[in-house]
Amino acid sequence: MVETTRRYVLAKRPEGKPDRDTFELEETGVSDPRHGEVLVRTLYLSVDPYMRGRMRDRESYAEPWDVGDPMQGGVVGEVVESEHERWSEGDRVVGNLYWSEYAVVDGDDLSRVDARAENVTLSSYLGVLGMPGRTAYFGTLEVAEPDPGETVVVSGAAGAVGSTVGQIAKLAGARVVGFAGSDEKVEFLEDDLGFDAGINYKTTDDYRAALDDAAPDGVDAYFDNVGGPITDAVFTRLNVDARVAICGQIALYNEEGVPTGPRKLPQLIATRAKVEGLLVRDFSPRFREATEQLHEWVANGDVEYRESVVEGFENAPDAFLGLFEGENIGKQVVKVAEPSE
Amino acid sequence: MVETTRRYVLAKRPEGKPDRDTFELEETGVSDPRHGEVLVRTLYLSVDPYMRGRMRDRESYAEPWDVGDPMQGGVVGEVVESEHERWSEGDRVVGNLYWSEYAVVDGDDLSRVDARAENVTLSSYLGVLGMPGRTAYFGTLEVAEPDPGETVVVSGAAGAVGSTVGQIAKLAGARVVGFAGSDEKVEFLEDDLGFDAGINYKTTDDYRAALDDAAPDGVDAYFDNVGGPITDAVFTRLNVDARVAICGQIALYNEEGVPTGPRKLPQLIATRAKVEGLLVRDFSPRFREATEQLHEWVANGDVEYRESVVEGFENAPDAFLGLFEGENIGKQVVKVAEPSE
């Protein structure tokens, strides 16, 4: 019998960078699942940059959290108790649950996790086979749309989304250049993932010159996870009819007020480039297609992935805060519990 | 016999705002037209904001002028002498010629002007029936794509392009809001052109609040001729799936270096808006369609236009410089000579 769980709630809205005081750990009761509900034990918890947006008191694509609300997030878990016909004790599931060790949720909101194939792990359903992987899949194929021989630039290239974007673009026959924040990440891109070039933005002064070296034919597609000065530089190197997918702007998320930077719209006239915001849920009717394709690529080794794992539920805030310091290579997850045998 | 002509050349590259010293008036010889060529007498000369870009020493969509090069521009003129089978003395033509009183040009580069229909004038082939009108036509119908009941915002709304954009959007059934730089212009939009609302950006402090009044349902399409703070404000009011056509950024053209402003890309994620650069020549295979449709709208009064006419060839630089002061309502042209009877 599970009677209580630990969970994190939003303790206060951050101004600028969130910190440990943004979160509060509390103990709360767990009710018995009612008809249609399932009690899930968290195995892995996902922390993602977009969650910063939900901490603001402002309507956006994801509903803002109120102070005191439990933090939500992607969870891979195990069914402990089921009152839903589809699920049985021991089933492995993935869903958008809570930063908690246990949760009672509607069984209709869960999907099955199948980690039997080679290279496929439970936690990969929070990364390459989950929301970040699907974001990369649709953003690359439907917005950036690289043709063979074109040059694709990815910012945040060593992250969960960016690392997958680059590999899908390589599969499409493009030359791929990634911006990342350490030499280790650049090696990961070039040596493990097959990127044509990586640029360490923390040790590079002149992003435009670096692009001229790494992308001498200009930029045909840009997948932006970061925003800010990297994006300013890439805009100056766009080719005619370039496509820009705005997926994330993590460099700006902790800025208060309205951050300023170079105005780049005149560049769009010269290039007739198309800049488009990307939100993966717009593609939800095609999620099954994406997950199946990604599963095949991962299982046969065409798409590789890495994960940064923080151990221990209580460390979830640190895992989240590390995203803004660029601490993770690949998907950042929190390991909360061992699966049962 | 025409033996010489006056013409303007680029005297020096402007830093910041161009001024009279940017231009030099010179007298130059006029050769006899060779086979296939035509001698044209300029009646009306067009001055357009994009010409500022050609004064820079930087490759862009229009080739930069060298210092000493003759200024080019749209001209409505009259054939004086023809060695081209299609043209005869007295024909009225339009083409991309020079800031000059006479020019010898390839007859293949000219189009015929037909100013017999009601409301259609010779000079309108430089405005509503010329490049600005076609820009408005394709930018509105192919990029902004307003549906009935949607809200379209236009910046530079009283200019040659903007005033036509708004009327085409009205014909498409949209609610139309225009930003313009004087009360006279706002009256022109609201009273003469049928815009639903005009905003005088020079007397309005808070563009967002003004938009909330004038576009209470948000902005579904934005046709941008101006850039800068107006565009920043409109971006904050974009609806989901909004379309933005970047046609001009006149507020930035005289800025040296890289002007800065609020970073608005996060707004694109929230709205999945699409921002696209617009260059009318990409639609050149469909120019005939556009001109015919615009001619019909103008002749039957569905689309109205106004022109600001500066008299006298020597005043062409002032007409051009006035564009950046917002002096013109509708298309700015220079009247160089009376047509012959």
Side-chain angles (χ1 to χ4, degrees):
Chain A
M1 277 294 287
V2 177
E3 292 192 340
T4 64
T5 183
R6 293 192 295 171
R7 68 177 187 183
Y8 276 103
V9 301
L10 182 66
K12 60 177 190 183
R13 299 196 188 282
E15 291 178 25
K17 274 195 188 181
D19 57 27
R20 288 290 312 219
D21 294 340
T22 304
F23 308 89
E24 191 175 345
L25 187 61
E26 62 174 33
E27 184 118 5
T28 187
V30 174
S31 56
D32 291 331
R34 289 173 301 182
H35 181 70
E37 289 184 335
V38 173
L39 171 63
V40 177
R41 182 166 73 104
T42 299
L43 302 177
Y44 289 94
L45 168 65
S46 178
V47 291
D48 299 276
Y50 80 87
M51 294 169 172
R52 177 63 181 85
R54 301 193 66 180
M55 298 175 177
R56 277 184 218 284
D57 185 18
R58 196 170 67 200
E59 286 300 321
S60 184
Y61 55 92
E63 207 181 330
W65 286 312
D66 282 331
V67 171
D69 275 354
M71 310 278 302
Q72 291 174 289
V75 160
V76 164
E78 202 168 63
V79 173
V80 177
E81 206 182 322
S82 173
E83 296 296 332
H84 188 286
E85 55 181 10
R86 189 173 167 211
W87 303 113
S88 311
E89 191 186 329
D91 283 348
R92 309 277 165 76
V93 294
V94 60
N96 194 33
L97 308 187
Y98 297 97
W99 292 29
S100 65
E101 292 178 290
Y102 292 90
V104 173
V105 294
D106 188 332
D108 288 342
D109 294 342
L110 299 172
S111 303
R112 195 173 298 274
V113 163
D114 176 3
R116 288 170 303 181
E118 199 168 358
N119 305 321
V120 173
T121 60
L122 285 176
S123 52
S124 67
Y125 279 86
L126 299 177
V128 67
L129 299 182
M131 183 273 286
R134 292 190 295 264
T135 302
Y137 179 87
F138 293 111
T140 306
L141 299 178
E142 301 295 333
V143 182
E145 295 187 273
D147 281 330
E150 286 194 330
T151 298
V152 176
V153 172
V154 189
S155 62
V161 174
S163 60
T164 310
V165 166
Q167 294 178 85
I168 295 174
K170 286 300 296 176
L171 290 171
R175 176 179 175 81
V176 175
V177 176
F179 280 90
S182 72
D183 289 341
E184 186 191 356
K185 289 178 180 178
V186 167
E187 277 170 33
F188 168 58
L189 299 179
E190 294 180 346
D191 299 343
D192 297 347
L193 302 188
F195 279 51
D196 296 282
I199 299 169
N200 180 344
Y201 72 87
K202 289 191 177 163
T203 57
T204 301
D205 289 331
D206 186 339
Y207 298 163
R208 297 186 194 194
L211 280 167
D212 289 338
D213 284 344
D217 298 329
V219 179
D220 300 298
Y222 175 44
F223 193 108
D224 186 16
N225 294 301
V226 170
I230 293 173
T231 297
D232 298 335
V234 177
F235 266 53
T236 68
R237 294 303 183 262
L238 294 177
N239 287 333
V240 168
D241 292 331
R243 291 80 58 198
V244 178
I246 306 293
C247 177
Q249 298 276 287
I250 193 171
L252 310 181
Y253 290 168
N254 291 328
E255 301 268 353
E256 291 299 318
V258 184
T260 60
R263 294 183 185 277
K264 291 301 178 192
L265 296 181
Q267 197 67 19
L268 300 189
I269 304 173
T271 60
R272 287 83 85 202
K274 196 178 290 183
V275 182
E276 198 169 339
L278 168 66
L279 203 57
V280 67
R281 71 168 181 224
D282 291 339
F283 296 94
S284 55
R286 293 174 57 195
F287 276 2
R288 179 185 294 267
E289 163 203 330
T291 307
E292 286 176 358
Q293 177 64 74
L294 288 159
H295 190 279
E296 182 186 324
W297 280 332
V298 168
N300 68 20
D302 279 341
V303 168
E304 300 185 25
Y305 64 97
R306 201 182 284 191
E307 293 172 344
S308 296
V309 182
V310 162
E311 301 268 347
F313 173 72
E314 60 280 5
N315 297 318
D318 295 322
F320 175 75
L321 299 173
L323 295 172
F324 300 95
E325 311 301 330
E327 289 175 0
N328 55 305
I329 294 191
K331 177 62 186 146
Q332 179 68 60
V333 296
V334 181
K335 184 169 181 182
V336 175
E338 288 289 338
S340 56
E341 292 307 306
Chain B
M1 278 294 287
V2 178
E3 294 191 341
T4 63
T5 182
R6 292 191 296 170
R7 68 176 186 181
Y8 276 105
V9 301
L10 183 65
K12 60 175 191 183
R13 300 195 187 286
E15 290 178 26
K17 273 192 188 182
D19 57 28
R20 288 292 309 221
D21 293 339
T22 304
F23 309 90
E24 190 175 346
L25 189 60
E26 63 172 33
E27 184 117 4
T28 186
V30 173
S31 56
D32 290 333
R34 290 173 299 183
H35 180 70
E37 290 185 333
V38 174
L39 172 62
V40 177
R41 182 166 73 104
T42 300
L43 303 176
Y44 289 95
L45 169 65
S46 178
V47 291
D48 299 277
Y50 80 87
M51 294 169 173
R52 177 64 181 84
R54 300 193 66 180
M55 298 175 178
R56 278 183 218 284
D57 184 17
R58 198 171 64 200
E59 286 300 322
S60 184
Y61 56 92
E63 208 180 330
W65 287 313
D66 282 331
V67 170
D69 275 355
M71 310 277 306
Q72 292 174 287
V75 160
V76 164
E78 202 168 63
V79 172
V80 177
E81 206 181 323
S82 174
E83 297 294 334
H84 189 285
E85 57 181 13
R86 189 174 169 210
W87 305 113
S88 313
E89 191 184 329
D91 282 348
R92 309 277 165 77
V93 294
V94 61
N96 194 35
L97 307 187
Y98 298 97
W99 291 29
S100 66
E101 291 178 291
Y102 292 91
V104 173
V105 294
D106 188 332
D108 288 343
D109 294 342
L110 300 171
S111 304
R112 195 173 298 276
V113 162
D114 175 4
R116 290 170 301 182
E118 196 165 2
N119 305 322
V120 173
T121 61
L122 285 176
S123 53
S124 67
Y125 279 85
L126 298 177
V128 67
L129 299 181
M131 184 273 287
R134 292 190 294 265
T135 301
Y137 179 87
F138 292 111
T140 307
L141 298 179
E142 301 295 335
V143 182
E145 295 186 272
D147 281 329
E150 286 194 330
T151 298
V152 175
V153 172
V154 190
S155 63
V161 175
S163 60
T164 311
V165 167
Q167 293 178 86
I168 295 174
K170 286 300 297 176
L171 289 170
R175 174 179 176 82
V176 175
V177 176
F179 280 89
S182 72
D183 289 342
E184 186 190 358
K185 290 179 180 178
V186 167
E187 277 169 33
F188 167 59
L189 300 179
E190 293 179 346
D191 299 344
D192 297 348
L193 302 188
F195 279 51
D196 296 282
I199 299 170
N200 180 344
Y201 73 86
K202 289 191 177 163
T203 57
T204 301
D205 289 330
D206 185 340
Y207 298 162
R208 298 187 195 193
L211 279 167
D212 289 337
D213 284 345
D217 298 329
V219 179
D220 300 298
Y222 174 45
F223 193 108
D224 186 17
N225 295 301
V226 169
I230 293 173
T231 297
D232 297 335
V234 177
F235 265 53
T236 68
R237 296 301 185 262
L238 294 177
N239 287 333
V240 168
D241 291 331
R243 289 80 58 197
V244 177
I246 306 293
C247 176
Q249 297 277 286
I250 194 171
L252 310 182
Y253 289 169
N254 291 328
E255 301 268 355
E256 291 300 319
V258 184
T260 59
R263 294 183 186 277
K264 291 300 179 193
L265 296 182
Q267 197 68 18
L268 300 189
I269 305 173
T271 60
R272 286 83 84 199
K274 196 179 290 184
V275 183
E276 200 170 339
L278 168 66
L279 202 59
V280 68
R281 71 168 181 223
D282 291 338
F283 296 94
S284 55
R286 294 175 56 195
F287 276 2
R288 179 185 294 268
E289 163 203 328
T291 307
E292 286 177 359
Q293 177 63 74
L294 287 159
H295 190 278
E296 182 186 323
W297 280 334
V298 168
N300 70 19
D302 280 340
V303 168
E304 300 185 26
Y305 65 98
R306 200 180 288 189
E307 292 171 346
S308 295
V309 182
V310 162
E311 302 266 348
F313 173 72
E314 61 281 5
N315 297 317
D318 294 322
F320 175 76
L321 299 173
L323 294 172
F324 300 95
E325 312 301 329
E327 288 174 1
N328 56 305
I329 294 190
K331 177 65 188 143
Q332 179 67 59
V333 296
V334 181
K335 185 170 180 180
V336 175
E338 288 289 339
S340 56
E341 290 308 304

